[in-house]
Amino acid sequence: MKKLLLILFVLLTKTAFAQEMAINIRDPEGHKNTERLAILDTISLPFELSDDKKLSREDILNKKEGFFVTGLPRFEFDPIRGFGIGGNVFFFQNKTKEDPFFYYTPYRYSINSEFFVFENGRVRAAVNLDVPYIFNSKWRFRADAVVWEDPNAQYWGIGRETLNNLSFQDKSAGAEGGVRQFNKVNDYEDNLKIAVPRNGGRMQTNTHYNQFIQRELLFNALGERVEMGGKLRLMFGYEALFTAFEDYTGRIAEEAFLPNGTEVEAIQGQTLVNQQINDGTWDRFNLSGFSDGFKFTSMLAAALIYDTRDLEPDPSKGIFLQYSHEYSAPWLASDFNFNKFMVQGQFIHTFHRWKNNRNRLTFAGLAAIGHIFGPNINFIEMWDLSSQAEAGGILVLGGGRSLRGYREARFMAPTVGLVNLEMRARLYDFNAFNQHFALGVTPFYDFGTVWEGLTDMQLNNFRGAPGVGGRIAWNQSTVLRLDYAQSREGGQFFFGFGHIF
């Protein structure tokens, strides 16, 4: 009877998507997992690839064949922008188990399409193309197109002084209140929204003191060639960035309240970005580009990468070392003139595997330093480290992909240091609807700091925040991430796709 039930189970779960291979991993003895592993022993690659670049045994056995689509509608809440709705759709082509690169890459090509709109009017639409080993060559091709508009882009200042505690006039005491320090960002922002009488008795508020309106169009194309068996990657490309910004100073604020909580119409006072443009702060850092008309940043990009990770979207082992550089100058038709570089290292190591290698405990760590310099810097370029390994770089220092316990761009200066430490535990996996899923939990700790320049670097005044997250690996190439982090300024929740590194 048991044998009959087992036969019925296997017959019912076979599908047109070649899921029999994923089912076979359920056999603890591995008797039915031999087909793909046997092919792996006989494949012939068009050029040499290191064994370090092979997928792990469990990833090979669970990998889907052919073309498939993943994606989800997404519902988010952002403390800055309110509720949001949108989604991602990922298109993957893995080819078949007879393709030699099936055992070395997460996919033969992928297309990621994204659209999102938030309650405050923030809109983001993007399309990303990634083709490893294009035409079975040593070359990889990536291209990105992004449209972005955010009515509440964050600006907390420039320089090492951003590491100081939040402070502002205590408006709960009225127009004559003194300067007060705030431990929590929510209390600080509630204080900004209070309206007090100013010149001639007109009500004035500071709701948008740390905000501006941002519009952005980004297009880039990158080529990458592998050497040393796939471990060494030489990357170069071009990026075209169009940016425009608006200030809130002098506008009617959407939210303003009297000290007793009564809503009132009020004029927005001077914003921090307006203040620092006019008081010489931006001149000190050679910043420009804040204009309501689009400015053009034309950039050449290059990177040198050493990568021994086994599966890029969700690695279980390996190291990743990168030096990347971006260069913008008038001879490229750019409105700006600057250089930006980043050095980063990642270390991935699995300490323990169990349940026939399906579950694992993996440590993942990242350390990065970035620096920007030049006579005419587009200020928005200070918002990210210039990683060429992913579109948009690494947004700093604060927010969902760097210091998760702090607000976006909370700490910013020409030189930025960031460390992310994660313990990724994969605890359970299963098949459903012809798809393979793996569930896990990830405690983490993020910390970093900023400096005025490379010569000012010192190992103090770091800001850190612990947190914990959930992970869902979907057909290996898609990772869903839910994170909560708690800093001394408050807590934040994020939901997104992919590990932060």
Side-chain angles (χ1 to χ4, degrees), residues 199-210:
N199 304 325
R202 190 168 189 182
M203 302 304 292
Q204 179 177 297
T205 187
N206 301 94
T207 300
H208 298 291
Y209 181 71
N210 296 108

Side-chain angles (χ1 to χ4, degrees), residues 128-158:
N128 313 105
L129 170 68
D130 186 10
V131 190
Y133 303 115
I134 188 170
F135 307 127
N136 288 346
S137 72
K138 291 185 176 184
W139 288 93
R140 180 177 190 165
F141 177 75
R142 292 196 293 118
D144 309 287
V146 181
V147 178
W148 173 288
E149 181 169 342
D150 189 355
N152 301 115
Q154 301 289 286
Y155 182 82
W156 301 85
I158 296 289

Side-chain angles (χ1 to χ4, degrees), residues 320-324 341-347 365-371 384-387 390 393-397 401-403 415-421 447-451 454 457 462 500-501:
F320 179 89
L321 304 175
Q322 177 185 15
Y323 174 83
S324 61
F341 69 82
M342 184 199 68
V343 179
Q344 72 156 311
Q346 299 178 22
F347 176 72
L366 173 147
I369 293 177
H371 179 62
D384 69 89
L385 297 175
S386 63
S387 172
E390 59 178 306
I394 302 173
L395 297 180
V396 293
L397 194 58
R401 298 188 69 88
S402 59
L403 230 60
T415 307
V416 177
L418 171 67
V419 175
N420 301 115
L421 305 174
F447 64 96
T449 191
V450 296
W451 301 279
L454 294 174
M457 294 178 65
F462 282 85
I500 70 167
F501 65 93

Side-chain angles (χ1 to χ4, degrees), residues 90-110:
F90 298 89
F91 303 89
F92 295 102
Q93 174 59 263
N94 283 348
K95 292 194 175 181
T96 68
K97 58 183 177 291
E98 282 75 26
D99 176 57
F101 294 103
F102 184 88
Y103 304 91
Y104 287 87
T105 66
Y107 42 77
R108 290 311 307 271
Y109 73 77
S110 75

Side-chain angles (χ1 to χ4, degrees), residues 188-234:
Y188 169 81
E189 291 178 330
D190 288 341
N191 179 73
L192 294 179
K193 295 175 184 176
I194 295 176
V196 296
R198 295 297 186 190
N199 304 325
R202 190 168 189 182
M203 302 304 292
Q204 179 177 297
T205 187
N206 301 94
T207 300
H208 298 291
Y209 181 71
N210 296 108
Q211 299 175 355
F212 59 88
I213 301 169
Q214 175 185 0
R215 298 183 181 93
E216 181 174 305
L217 302 171
L218 181 148
F219 307 94
N220 66 29
L222 293 168
E224 172 187 310
R225 182 177 174 86
V226 298
E227 299 291 347
M228 294 176 58
K231 295 180 181 181
L232 184 67
R233 297 155 57 185
L234 307 173

Side-chain angles (χ1 to χ4, degrees), residues 178-434:
V179 175
R180 171 188 166 193
Q181 289 195 347
F182 295 84
N183 294 324
K184 301 298 182 183
V185 68
N186 288 337
D187 295 336
Y188 169 81
E189 291 178 330
D190 288 341
N191 179 73
L192 294 179
K193 295 175 184 176
I194 295 176
V196 296
R198 295 297 186 190
N199 304 325
R202 190 168 189 182
M203 302 304 292
Q204 179 177 297
T205 187
N206 301 94
T207 300
H208 298 291
Y209 181 71
N210 296 108
Q211 299 175 355
F212 59 88
I213 301 169
Q214 175 185 0
R215 298 183 181 93
E216 181 174 305
L217 302 171
L218 181 148
F219 307 94
N220 66 29
L222 293 168
E224 172 187 310
R225 182 177 174 86
V226 298
E227 299 291 347
M228 294 176 58
K231 295 180 181 181
L232 184 67
R233 297 155 57 185
L234 307 173
M235 183 183 299
F236 60 90
Y238 174 78
E239 178 177 306
L241 176 65
F242 301 86
T243 52
F245 310 94
E246 292 183 41
D247 182 32
Y248 279 106
T249 300
R251 298 189 180 194
I252 300 293
E254 289 88 349
E255 291 183 282
F257 304 92
L258 296 175
N260 62 9
T262 302
E263 189 169 359
V264 65
E265 182 179 283
I267 298 296
Q268 169 66 40
Q270 188 180 33
T271 62
L272 182 59
V273 67
N274 185 286
Q275 174 186 321
Q276 293 198 335
I277 289 173
N278 289 295
D279 69 9
T281 300
W282 277 35
D283 292 335
R284 183 162 62 92
F285 290 104
N286 297 329
L287 303 182
S288 66
F290 197 98
S291 168
D292 56 3
F294 278 97
K295 295 289 187 178
F296 179 42
T297 308
S298 178
M299 287 187 289
L300 296 177
L304 180 65
I305 297 172
Y306 182 77
D307 185 6
T308 66
R309 296 172 300 171
D310 55 349
L311 180 68
E312 289 180 25
D314 191 15
S316 65
K317 64 178 181 178
I319 62 173
F320 179 89
L321 304 175
Q322 177 185 15
Y323 174 83
S324 61
H325 200 109
E326 293 179 353
Y327 168 67
S328 179
W331 71 269
L332 294 169
S334 178
D335 292 324
F336 305 95
N337 187 356
F338 63 87
N339 284 268
K340 182 165 69 166
F341 69 82
M342 184 199 68
V343 179
Q344 72 156 311
Q346 299 178 22
F347 176 72
I348 316 291
H349 178 72
T350 295
F351 288 102
H352 181 59
R353 299 178 185 267
W354 66 99
K355 289 189 177 179
N356 199 31
N357 289 326
R358 298 200 305 270
N359 297 348
R360 69 190 189 211
L361 181 65
T362 301
F363 168 79
L366 173 147
I369 293 177
H371 179 62
I372 187 169
F373 62 97
N376 184 16
I377 300 170
N378 185 353
F379 81 100
I380 202 66
E381 285 297 319
M382 300 187 73
W383 264 247
D384 69 89
L385 297 175
S386 63
S387 172
Q388 299 304 313
E390 59 178 306
I394 302 173
L395 297 180
V396 293
L397 194 58
R401 298 188 69 88
S402 59
L403 230 60
R404 283 165 278 190
Y406 290 91
R407 290 290 174 85
E408 293 176 11
R410 175 63 182 88
F411 313 111
M412 195 183 317
T415 307
V416 177
L418 171 67
V419 175
N420 301 115
L421 305 174
E422 297 191 344
M423 190 63 74
R424 302 169 181 173
R426 179 181 292 184
L427 303 177
Y428 181 70
D429 72 317
F430 62 95
N431 295 312
F433 306 107
N434 300 323

Side-chain angles (χ1 to χ4, degrees), residues 64-75:
K64 287 179 68 68
E65 295 184 60
F67 177 81
F68 64 95
V69 180
T70 65
L72 279 179
R74 288 166 53 186
F75 303 91

Side-chain angles (χ1 to χ4, degrees), residues 50-123:
S50 168
D51 286 344
D52 290 335
K53 302 301 293 181
K54 285 181 184 176
L55 305 184
S56 65
R57 180 179 181 273
E58 65 271 19
D59 286 332
I60 290 172
L61 297 172
N62 283 321
K63 189 174 181 180
K64 287 179 68 68
E65 295 184 60
F67 177 81
F68 64 95
V69 180
T70 65
L72 279 179
R74 288 166 53 186
F75 303 91
E76 296 187 14
F77 177 80
D78 185 293
I80 301 166
R81 303 169 181 93
F83 288 97
I85 185 171
N88 291 72
V89 180
F90 298 89
F91 303 89
F92 295 102
Q93 174 59 263
N94 283 348
K95 292 194 175 181
T96 68
K97 58 183 177 291
E98 282 75 26
D99 176 57
F101 294 103
F102 184 88
Y103 304 91
Y104 287 87
T105 66
Y107 42 77
R108 290 311 307 271
Y109 73 77
S110 75
I111 301 173
N112 170 24
S113 59
E114 173 186 335
F115 179 79
F116 221 91
V117 58
F118 275 87
E119 186 179 358
N120 76 324
R122 178 186 186 184
V123 176

